[in-house]
Amino acid sequence: MLFVHSLTGLSLTSIGAGLTIAGLCALAFMPIAGVLIDRFSGRRVLIGVLALRAAGFAAYPFADSYPAFLVIALVVAVGMWASSPSQHALIGDIAQGAERDRLLAWDRSLRNAGMGFGSLAAAGMLAWNGSAGFIGAAVVLAAVFAVAAVLVARIPAVHGRAGAAEGTGGGYRQVLADRPYLLITAANFLIAFGYTTQAIALPIFLTRDVGIPDALAGAVFALNTVMVAALGVPVARLTLRGRRTRTAAFGAFVFALSFAAFAALPRFFSGAGAVVAVLAVAVLYTAGELIHSAPSQGLSVQAAPDHLRGRYLATYQLSWSVCRTIAPALLGFLLDAGRWHLWTVLALMVLTGAAILLYAERVLPAHVVSSTRKAPAAAREVMT
């Protein structure tokens, strides 16, 4: 928002509305992304969406009007939403079973490390005078995504994977008829609000209701980023020993405990004690994220059949995308409603998601629930 405002002089309200519109329109492309992944493979689609994001950021410095800004924002949003299912489909193509879980864990850890580095880079960018820092950031991001596309292109293709969905039938009708997969998707939609809270609602709650300084509110994000980047892979190894559904549900339960602790902060802590308490609760919150993220992501990939993996993962990605689209409005309403409303509603949502996961365990295949169980031969087959 600051970038576009600096270059175009548009109001922050109009820019925010434009980003929301672009995000909503991008959601309509998700089913198409799923079809493309099944037709051409996750590897090829990931190369395409990374190139799309590179082109979008390269074009941002030329967004000298509102229509131009909207078009570029839509291009970037489509690339952003389509990156996750295509990357996870690629991991599903090149690995199986527990190895998939390990690659997904590395993906999460490296992404969080990149987010932390990007936050530091953004701070440096804002220190530059005028729009030079913004333009420099756009150019660097365009180059970074272009390099990422080249790196993915160097990954050997899984022969016979492209077009694997042809002739198998089903399509999105099969996805919508797959009740167990819809259950884990619905559970993820509810639990995803726990993730969005950190960036949207928590800074306001900590500064307004707990009374800690603005700078220290950012320390919670930094702590979370460092912990997930450093501990994501080791914790994932531990979670692989149990059932994915139960471990993910336990992570959601830890989320709910942290929400209860956050709600209690204004009542029991103030001053320097509040800062220590906030960091302690932030550790508990991050523990919930670490415990939940690995098995839940594993469920989404393992439960997707090979020939329709793109459509399945695109559907699962909608649970994240829709959550992130409506979360600002919902969390803003709850923040205005009162101190306890936000944390009570969030706790109920994640606990409901946990309950759905436990119910889904009864109808999911054994190899999806547990990483120690092998898939049937038909499901394990990889074309070479």
Side-chain angles (χ1 to χ4, degrees):
M1 292 178 69
L2 291 173
F3 171 82
V4 178
H5 176 69
S6 174
L7 292 182
T8 66
L10 295 168
S11 69
L12 294 178
T13 300
S14 62
I15 296 170
L19 291 173
T20 300
I21 293 171
L24 289 172
C25 292
L27 291 179
F29 286 86
M30 289 305 299
I32 300 174
V35 173
L36 293 175
I37 291 169
D38 289 332
R39 176 65 181 87
F40 298 105
S41 81
R43 173 179 170 273
R44 291 182 178 179
V45 174
L46 182 57
I47 294 171
V49 297
L50 288 172
L52 192 67
R53 297 176 79 174
F57 279 105
Y60 256 132
F62 304 99
D64 55 357
S65 66
Y66 196 65
F69 156 65
L70 287 178
V71 171
I72 296 170
L74 176 60
V75 168
V76 173
V78 170
M80 179 179 65
W81 289 138
S83 290
S84 182
S86 57
Q87 184 159 332
H88 292 168
L90 171 60
I91 291 174
D93 286 344
I94 64 178
Q96 294 185 4
E99 181 62 22
R100 283 180 182 172
D101 292 301
R102 283 189 284 270
L103 289 178
L104 290 169
W106 276 106
D107 172 49
R108 284 188 303 275
S109 293
L110 292 172
R111 185 189 303 119
N112 274 271
M115 289 172 61
F117 180 81
S119 298
L120 294 174
M125 173 194 73
L126 292 173
W128 288 12
N129 293 325
S131 59
F134 297 111
I135 295 175
V139 172
V140 169
L141 284 171
V144 165
F145 281 117
V147 170
V150 173
L151 291 175
V152 175
R154 293 177 61 85
I155 299 175
V158 178
H159 298 294
R161 175 65 188 87
E166 291 184 353
T168 59
Y172 277 108
R173 285 180 297 178
Q174 179 174 328
V175 180
L176 296 177
D178 192 332
R179 184 165 165 264
Y181 200 86
L182 294 182
L183 284 173
I184 64 175
T185 301
N188 189 70
F189 170 73
L190 293 171
I191 299 172
F193 282 94
Y195 287 81
T196 61
T197 300
Q198 177 185 240
I200 299 173
L202 192 55
I204 298 173
F205 172 80
L206 294 178
T207 55
R208 185 193 68 181
D209 298 330
V210 182
I212 69 172
D214 293 353
L216 290 177
V220 173
F221 174 79
L223 177 64
N224 173 268
T225 301
V226 170
M227 287 185 63
V228 174
L231 301 177
V233 175
V235 172
R237 291 196 186 103
L238 294 176
T239 59
L240 287 175
R241 299 176 182 178
R243 299 186 180 186
R244 293 187 179 98
T245 44
R246 296 183 185 183
T247 308
F250 178 65
F253 177 74
V254 176
F255 261 148
L257 288 179
S258 72
F259 297 156
F262 276 127
L265 287 176
R267 183 184 181 110
F268 296 103
F269 297 94
S270 61
V275 175
V276 176
V278 165
L279 294 177
V281 179
V283 171
L284 180 64
Y285 170 90
T286 304
E289 178 179 347
L290 286 167
I291 296 170
H292 170 266
S293 59
S296 66
Q297 203 168 67
L299 282 172
S300 69
V301 180
Q302 302 287 4
D306 290 349
H307 68 286
L308 291 175
R309 185 177 294 124
R311 289 172 172 86
Y312 270 74
L313 292 177
T315 302
Y316 189 82
Q317 176 62 28
L318 282 174
S319 66
W320 287 107
S321 305
V322 174
C323 169
R324 290 171 180 170
T325 301
I326 68 176
L330 175 61
L331 298 181
F333 170 78
L334 293 173
L335 280 168
D336 286 338
R339 290 180 178 178
W340 64 271
H341 297 76
L342 171 69
W343 303 114
T344 301
V345 172
L346 285 173
L348 289 174
M349 292 176 75
V350 298
L351 289 175
T352 302
I356 293 174
L357 285 173
L358 294 177
Y359 176 78
E361 180 179 309
R362 299 187 294 178
V363 291
L364 285 167
H367 74 277
V368 173
V369 172
S370 176
S371 61
T372 61
R373 299 289 294 273
K374 292 184 177 181
R380 293 198 309 268
E381 183 181 14
V382 177
M383 303 178 185
T384 58

